[in-house]
Amino acid sequence: MSEHQLQPVAPPERIQVIDVLRGVALFGIIAANMRGFNAPARVYGSPELMWSGTADRIVQSFIDVFISGKFITLFSFLFGLGFAVQMSRAEAKGANFVSFYARRMSILLVIGLVHSFLIWWGDILVTYALLGFALLLFRKRSQKTVMAWALGLLSVFMLLGLVFMVLVRFGVHIPAPSNPTPEQIQQTVRIYGRGSIGQIMVERAGDVRRQYTAPFYFASVLGVFLLGLYVWRRGIFQDVPAHLALIRKWLWIFLAVGLAGNVGAWLIGVLLHPPPQPNLANLLRWGIAYTIGVPALSCFYASGVVLLFQKPAWQKRLLPFAAVGRMALSNYLLQSVVCTLLYYSYGFGLYGKVGPAMGLIPTLVIYGAQIPLSAWWLRRYQFGPMEWLWRSLSYGYFQSMRIGRVAVGGPSPAGAA
C-alpha cells in the first residue's frame, strides 16, 4: 500500500482529551514565553535583571515554579505521542510511513526556520522537526528500549551536573556562565523596541544562533518525545477508563516530586542572583532539581486533565480547549505574530516596558481570544490555516478546507481515514 493512502485523521476519529491537553499546553507556552517576547533572550533565565519590583518578582516566581518548562514539556510529550498515533495508523493500513513522515518533518522544518528568523527567536518547531527525524530510529524498538533511552536522555544534564559537582569538590575550576551587562541589555531593548527591521533581523539571527547551541536541551526534548511514544504504545489513551486506577496512583507521586523539584529549583535560583558570576555548584544543583521536577509536574498536569475529562461536568468545561489544540500550529504561530507586533518597533514598540506582572494581561487576553476564535474557525473549516498548509504539502494534494467539501486532487471522502 502506498503512502498516498494515508489520510488526515477525521474529526470523529480524534481522541478529544489529547486535543484538550494540547490546547491547555498552549496557554502555559504563551505564559512562559511572554518574557521572551518582551525582553532579551540573554535575560530569559534571569528576568530580575530587568524587573526587580515586588509584583514582578512574585508573578515571575509563580511562573517559574508552576508554568515554565512544564507546558512545553507537555507539548513535546504530545508531539511524540502524535508520532506514535500516525505510525500505528499507517502500519494498520500497510502504508509507507517513513517517506510520508520525513516529508512532513521537512515541511515543519521550513515553517520553523521562517518562524525563527522572520518572527521570533524562541521557536520550538525547528527542534521538533529535527528530532522528529530521530524518532524514526525508535519506531521498531521495544518498549523497554524506548523507556531506557527516554530516561537516559532526560538524565543527561543531571548526570553531567553531578560530574561537574564532583570535579568542583576536588578543586577543578569550571567557569560559571556570566550575566549580560546592563549595556548589552539596553542595546537589545533599543534594537527590538526602536530599531529598523534590518537591525531586528540581525539581532534575531544572533538570538537564534544562541538558541540552538544547547545540546542538552535537545537531549531532553527527544527524551520527552520517547515518553509520548511509550505511553501511546501502552494503550493508555486508547482506553483511559481501563487505566484510571494507574493514573490516580501516579497523579499524587507526580505532584509530590514535581513540587519538591520545582520549589527546590526556585529556592536555589534565588541564591544564584543577583551576583554577576553565579555560583557554579548552586547552578548545577538547580539543574538537577529542575530536570526532575519539570517532567514530574508536567505529568501531574496531564494526569489531572485526563482524570477531570472523565467527569461529564468537567468534560463540558474542558472541551473548548480542544478547539485550540486542534489548531495548535496555527495558534502557536499566531501567539508569536501578535506578541511581536505588540512589543517590536514595527508594531506598538512596547519592548522592555511590560514586566511579568503586567505581562499577565496580554497573556490572558491573547489566549482568551484564541478559544472562541478557534471554535468559530472549526465550525466552518476542517483545519486551522497552517494545519491545512502543512497537511496539504505533506499529503501532496490540497486538503478540503470547508466542512463537507471534497479535497482537490485527493481521494474521495469514502477513502478517508
Side-chain angles (χ1 to χ4, degrees):
M1 187 175 286
S2 73
E3 65 182 85
H4 297 292
Q5 290 174 276
L6 285 169
Q7 295 294 314
V9 178
E13 295 179 325
R14 301 184 70 94
I15 300 175
Q16 286 185 316
V17 72
I18 295 178
D19 288 327
V20 169
L21 286 169
R22 197 175 283 115
V24 169
L26 281 168
F27 170 74
I29 288 172
I30 189 174
N33 284 347
M34 192 58 66
R35 59 179 162 182
F37 289 124
N38 180 43
R42 292 177 180 178
V43 304
Y44 188 90
S46 306
E48 70 281 351
L49 294 176
M50 288 186 64
W51 321 110
S52 58
T54 301
D56 285 327
R57 292 180 74 94
I58 291 173
V59 169
Q60 191 57 61
S61 294
F62 177 86
I63 292 174
D64 287 341
V65 172
F66 295 102
I67 296 177
S68 291
K70 292 76 180 175
F71 290 91
I72 193 63
T73 296
L74 176 57
F75 207 57
S76 302
F77 169 83
L78 295 170
F79 186 92
L81 190 143
F83 165 83
V85 172
Q86 295 172 40
M87 182 174 63
S88 63
R89 287 177 170 163
E91 290 174 347
K93 299 179 182 192
N96 183 349
F97 173 74
V98 174
S99 59
F100 161 77
Y101 186 77
R103 183 166 65 246
R104 187 170 171 81
M105 290 301 100
S106 298
I107 295 164
L108 184 64
L109 177 61
V110 173
I111 295 173
L113 289 171
V114 172
H115 180 228
S116 293
F117 287 97
L118 298 184
I119 302 176
W120 184 52
W121 59 265
D123 169 80
I124 192 63
L125 302 179
V126 170
T127 300
Y128 280 12
L130 294 175
L131 295 180
F133 286 106
L135 272 176
L136 291 171
L137 300 174
F138 295 90
R139 66 191 190 96
K140 299 295 186 181
R141 307 302 293 269
S142 68
Q143 282 285 79
K144 183 178 180 180
T145 300
V146 169
M147 178 55 77
W149 272 92
L151 295 177
L153 289 166
L154 287 170
S155 302
V156 166
F157 184 78
M158 182 173 64
L159 294 174
L160 184 67
L162 290 172
V163 171
F164 279 6
M165 288 179 71
V166 170
L167 293 175
V168 170
R169 181 67 63 88
F170 282 93
V172 178
H173 174 69
I174 300 175
S178 60
N179 290 321
T181 65
E183 292 74 20
Q184 290 174 322
I185 294 174
Q186 288 306 312
Q187 180 183 15
T188 302
V189 170
R190 180 188 60 77
I191 290 173
Y192 279 117
R194 302 189 300 277
S196 66
I197 291 179
Q199 290 174 321
I200 289 174
M201 290 187 67
V202 172
E203 185 73 14
R204 184 165 48 216
D207 288 336
V208 171
R209 184 181 68 253
R210 286 185 286 272
Q211 166 86 343
Y212 295 123
T213 54
F216 303 113
Y217 172 70
F218 285 88
S220 65
V221 173
L222 181 56
V224 175
F225 280 4
L226 293 176
L227 288 180
L229 172 61
Y230 178 89
V231 168
W232 177 260
R233 285 179 172 179
R234 278 288 306 271
I236 293 175
F237 281 95
Q238 296 91 317
D239 189 3
V240 171
H243 295 86
L244 288 179
L246 177 67
I247 297 172
R248 289 192 188 99
K249 172 186 175 181
W250 280 96
L251 176 76
W252 303 113
I253 298 174
F254 289 141
L255 177 60
V257 175
L259 284 178
N262 284 282
V263 171
W266 175 76
L267 289 173
I268 296 169
V270 170
L271 302 176
L272 296 178
H273 303 295
Q277 295 292 334
N279 179 277
L280 180 63
N282 280 338
L283 184 63
L284 297 175
R285 292 188 186 100
W286 173 90
I288 293 170
Y290 191 80
T291 298
I292 296 173
V294 166
L297 198 55
S298 179
C299 287
F300 167 74
Y301 292 149
S303 301
V305 170
V306 169
L307 288 174
L308 288 174
F309 197 75
Q310 307 313 303
K311 303 176 184 296
W314 272 99
Q315 187 174 118
K316 184 177 180 180
R317 296 185 186 107
L318 290 170
L319 273 177
F321 293 99
V324 181
R326 282 180 59 189
M327 295 176 53
L329 179 60
S330 296
N331 281 317
Y332 172 73
L333 295 173
L334 181 61
Q335 290 176 359
S336 294
V337 170
V338 173
C339 287
T340 51
L341 284 174
L342 179 65
Y343 293 122
Y344 286 12
S345 64
Y346 51 76
F348 290 89
L350 296 177
Y351 193 88
K353 300 177 181 178
V354 180
M358 290 299 294
L360 289 176
I361 296 174
T363 296
L364 294 172
V365 169
I366 294 169
Y367 185 82
Q370 287 185 312
I371 296 175
L373 177 62
S374 299
W376 175 86
W377 183 277
L378 291 175
R379 283 195 296 269
R380 292 160 176 78
Y381 304 102
Q382 298 189 69
F383 314 112
M386 291 306 301
E387 284 75 14
W388 173 83
L389 177 63
W390 190 19
R391 288 167 182 264
S392 296
L393 294 174
S394 298
Y395 288 100
Y397 61 89
F398 290 113
Q399 300 288 304
S400 56
M401 274 287 280
R402 285 195 173 274
I403 294 174
R405 289 190 178 180
V406 179
V408 179
S412 67

